[in-house]
Amino acid sequence: MAKFDKKLSAILTKCSLLTEEQKENLLVESERNNQSLTEAILDKKICLEDDIVSAISSEMNLHPINLDKVKPNPMALEKLTEEQCKSYQVLPISKLGKILTVAVANPFDVLILDDVKIVTGCEIVPVISTDVALKKAIKNAFTEEVDTGEQMDQLLSGTDSTGDLQLTEAAEDDELDLSADLKSEGSPVVKLVNLLIMQAIEQKASDIHIEPFERKLRVRYRIDGACQEAVSPPKKLHPAIVSRIKIMASMDIAERRKPQDGKYQMRVKGRQVDFRVSILPMVHGEKVCIRILDSSGLSLSLESLGFEKQALEDFKWAVKQPYGMLLVTGPTGSGKSTTLYSSVREVLSIEDNITTVEDPVEYQLDGVNQVPVSEKRGLTFAAALRSILRQDPDTVMIGEIRDKETAEIAVKAALTGHLVLSTLHTNDAPSTITRLVDMGIDPFMVASSVIMVAAQRLLRKLCLECREKYVPPRERLLEVGIKEDEIESGQFHRAKGCGRCNAGYKGRFAILETMRMREDIRRVVIGGGSALDIRGKALEQDMITLRRCALLNSTRGKTSIEEVLAMTQDEV
């Protein structure tokens, strides 16, 4: 590897992709960190993976290949085992007669190519990729080829991957003998469930979906807002998997006809991770959805959330007000809770008494009094809120305003000297006001208590390693709402896909539509104006809408036009 890295560094320096200083530093650093030169370059974003492939292919006069766009031929894959591919760092792509096309990262090592020729009995035609792309492609290629049952057996045979996973809140169940086997850490089902959870955490998934169908069981992870299929266990294991998860979440494992909700906590590599579980009876069995609440990836500063300058200024202004109500709206999974926690962190100080009421408490914050709602014990949002207001709070965070009673108490709290932070499920900022009125709150009370409404969405970020610059049709850009001067100065990119991202996207960022309740808007609300009337007045005061905010980010190359259109509503 070191020998190849030196040759690669010389080629990249010759192509002006690396400076002499970068070359020396990267060689030392990659050796110290036990990683390849390619990995070190991509980690530091010095150049793109395509540039590295292009440089090697030009030097060796060999064809490059994008392994994300190519599916290896099954007949070619039969020529080498997965272990051989990993050992040689090659991947068979296609086979024509006695000619085998093989993707390689190191075309300089003729001994490896000779070994591959001997093992396969074929003439080898190398095409150029990188070690990073090859690792992912080899894993994907053999994941698809191996039978699901066999692959699960292979995964379960290696228990090291789940050694850092430990259930910290065990459920008690004395009714069923089955539970004893499902509680044992040595049980295959326990290992399998731990494996699914560990893989989801490693891939930074927000949810795990376990879905039963007539002839198969499907497992999907939601990563960056999109579901991706994972390796699925055999269908026969479905009842045992569901029972194990029920035990972990303190549910009734004998109940299979009614929906159930629960939660549990695990220690993962030394840190606590919370999980919320929902089980729903389906035609072919019970569907399981596990929400992963990993606070290690939680950013608790408003600046780090990626808001537009105006939205950030509006938000900071709102959280610094002595009293009033700040509402964050949006669909499930749009990052509302993260924004609220960041708002609480912004006002957190030893002088203030801050209390939250949540269902459930997603992330625990030092210095904040957090109350978990429990419908079974009669501790509803409204009941908890009444008690909280007798606890001398300065700031109150309500996880969600769900009914008229909670809304009334929140409004009264905001009018009596408390800063109230909460969420609602609405599509945009103006419609939040009319939603409160529809709940039965007097328009005058709404206008007097609300200081700002923020509508939020999460957009996927384009992968910086592989995003592709292009010039979209001018008419299309004008049609979606981009202005003439922004077309001229814009840097538009689209998703391409590489070994380090998910279909061209990596990570997400928040966009925000903030509407301050200025006097003009208050008059419209008191006068019984519709959401359209409120929206019109807010636009007169230069409110940046969700679509507009998303488009601005597309002109900077942060996300794609396709993502903007998919995640925001047309303003026509």
Side-chain angles (χ1 to χ4, degrees), residues 344-354 366-369 392 394-395:
V344 169
R345 177 59 62 90
E346 189 77 14
V347 298
L348 184 59
S349 68
I350 196 66
E351 292 87 6
D352 286 343
N353 178 18
I354 303 175
D366 287 336
V368 178
N369 305 295
D392 184 34
D394 296 293
T395 301

Side-chain angles (χ1 to χ4, degrees), residues 236 272 307 353 367 489 524:
K236 64 183 180 180
Q272 296 282 46
F307 296 159
N353 178 18
S489 60
V524 174

Side-chain angles (χ1 to χ4, degrees), residues 15-30:
C15 296
S16 301
L17 294 172
L18 290 181
T19 64
E20 284 292 340
E21 184 180 357
Q22 287 175 324
K23 168 185 167 183
E24 298 302 325
N25 291 339
L26 285 167
L27 286 171
V28 172
E29 189 172 328
S30 61

Side-chain angles (χ1 to χ4, degrees), residues 283-507:
V283 175
H284 299 293
E286 294 173 289
K287 178 185 184 297
V288 180
C289 178
I290 304 175
R291 168 66 58 90
I292 302 171
L293 303 168
D294 187 358
S295 58
S296 67
L298 181 65
S299 175
L300 287 176
S301 71
L302 289 173
E303 286 84 358
S304 64
L305 297 180
F307 296 159
E308 289 293 310
K309 183 180 178 183
Q310 179 180 320
L312 181 60
E313 289 174 355
D314 286 345
F315 222 96
K316 285 195 164 186
W317 169 84
V319 298
K320 288 178 180 176
Q321 298 308 300
Y323 57 87
M325 186 154 58
L326 165 60
L327 296 171
V328 182
T329 78
T332 301
S334 60
K336 300 187 300 296
S337 295
T338 300
T339 301
L340 279 187
Y341 280 115
S342 299
S343 304
V344 169
R345 177 59 62 90
E346 189 77 14
V347 298
L348 184 59
S349 68
I350 196 66
E351 292 87 6
D352 286 343
N353 178 18
I354 303 175
T355 307
T356 74
V357 51
E358 307 167 61
D359 182 22
V361 173
E362 293 189 7
Y363 303 109
Q364 296 180 22
L365 302 177
D366 287 336
V368 178
N369 305 295
Q370 295 175 274
V371 180
V373 166
S374 175
E375 300 283 348
K376 292 179 181 178
R377 292 184 285 124
L379 186 60
T380 62
F381 274 109
L385 198 48
R386 284 196 192 92
S387 295
I388 285 170
L389 294 178
R390 293 193 287 269
Q391 291 280 321
D392 184 34
D394 296 293
T395 301
V396 178
M397 185 186 103
I398 308 169
E400 183 184 344
I401 294 177
R402 296 177 177 173
D403 52 46
K404 180 183 178 182
E405 189 179 10
T406 306
E408 284 178 340
I409 300 171
V411 166
K412 288 174 183 175
L415 291 173
T416 53
H418 304 91
L419 179 62
V420 179
L421 313 173
S422 190
T423 70
L424 268 177
H425 287 285
T426 58
N427 291 325
D428 56 20
S431 63
T432 304
I433 302 299
T434 54
R435 174 65 60 84
L436 286 172
V437 174
D438 291 342
M439 279 183 171
I441 309 300
D442 186 273
F444 176 78
M445 298 284 279
V446 175
S448 302
S449 60
V450 177
I451 54 175
M452 195 185 79
V453 182
Q456 182 168 315
R457 296 290 186 279
L458 290 178
L459 264 62
R460 291 182 296 172
K461 288 190 285 190
L462 285 169
C463 174
L464 296 177
E465 303 297 334
C466 68
R467 64 178 182 174
E468 186 176 59
K469 190 174 181 181
Y470 78 119
V471 180
R474 190 182 195 85
E475 298 75 19
R476 180 59 174 152
L477 294 178
L478 291 171
E479 181 185 334
V480 299
I482 297 178
K483 299 175 182 177
E484 286 278 1
D485 58 328
E486 292 167 349
I487 295 175
E488 296 298 330
S489 60
Q491 299 288 322
F492 297 96
H493 292 75
R494 59 188 170 194
K496 184 179 179 183
C498 67
R500 300 167 69 85
C501 66
N502 297 306
Y505 297 94
K506 190 175 183 180

